């Protein structure tokens, strides 16, 4: 894959294991930026390094990572949805997550 672009609505995350309030706030801020770049939605590619190397993550690392993402999304009133899970090699996966603003008025 190409290296992560600083602009746009695509974010690469190798894994997120730090669940401290400071880290969650930083992720929430970054998430707002990515969603603003993408018209209120963004894509997180999990198991991918900033240089575009697809390393993958274990299911346990995914569980921790998705908890961090859910906490950050809740701070922003965003919903998340897993779009795909691809095996990279035995016990390592790459995930594609859709994050979008949750606003009932936008669905009327």
């Amino acid at each position: 894959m190409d290296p992560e672009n600083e602009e746009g609505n695509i974010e690469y995350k190798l894994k997120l294991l730090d669940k401290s309030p400071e880290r969650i706030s930083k992720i929430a801020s970054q998430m707002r930026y990515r969603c603003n770049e993408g018209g209120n939605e963004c894509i997180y590619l999990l198991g991918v390094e900033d240089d575009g190397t697809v390393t993958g993550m274990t299911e346990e690392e995914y569980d921790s990572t998705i908890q961090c993402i859910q906490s950050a999304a809740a701070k922003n009133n965003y919903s998340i949805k897993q779009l795909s899970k691809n095996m990279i090699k035995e016990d390592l996966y790459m995930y594609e997550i859709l994050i979008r603003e949750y606003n009932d008025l936008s669905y009327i």
Side-chain angles (χ1 to χ4, degrees):
M1 295 178 68
D2 290 331
E4 181 180 59
N5 190 333
E6 296 296 320
E7 307 286 322
N9 71 329
I10 309 266
E11 179 70 29
Y12 297 172
K13 292 291 181 202
L14 179 58
K15 54 187 150 186
L16 298 170
L17 305 177
D18 179 358
K19 297 178 188 164
S20 69
E22 297 81 17
R23 182 66 175 136
I24 297 300
S25 290
K26 184 176 179 181
I27 294 165
S29 176
Q30 184 180 61
M31 190 179 285
R32 277 191 305 276
Y33 173 79
R34 291 295 188 182
C35 280
N36 287 339
E37 288 284 296
N40 298 325
E41 69 179 31
C42 65
I43 301 289
Y44 271 49
L45 299 178
L46 308 180
V48 181
E49 299 184 46
D50 287 346
D51 68 1
T53 302
V54 180
T55 302
M57 63 173 52
T58 66
E59 290 187 6
E60 293 78 23
E61 291 167 333
Y62 173 78
D63 290 341
S64 177
T65 298
I66 205 68
Q67 287 175 13
C68 290
I69 290 173
Q70 287 170 332
S71 295
K75 285 182 166 286
N76 292 319
N77 199 29
Y78 292 162
S79 65
I80 65 170
K81 179 180 180 180
Q82 181 180 312
L83 297 177
S84 66
K85 175 183 178 181
N86 298 299
M87 183 181 284
I88 305 307
K89 54 185 169 185
E90 188 175 338
D91 297 327
L92 292 175
Y93 302 89
M94 182 185 98
Y95 298 84
E96 183 179 23
I97 306 295
L98 172 66
I99 300 169
R100 67 171 27 156
E101 181 179 9
Y102 179 75
N103 182 341
D104 288 336
L105 295 178
S106 66
Y107 299 105
I108 294 177

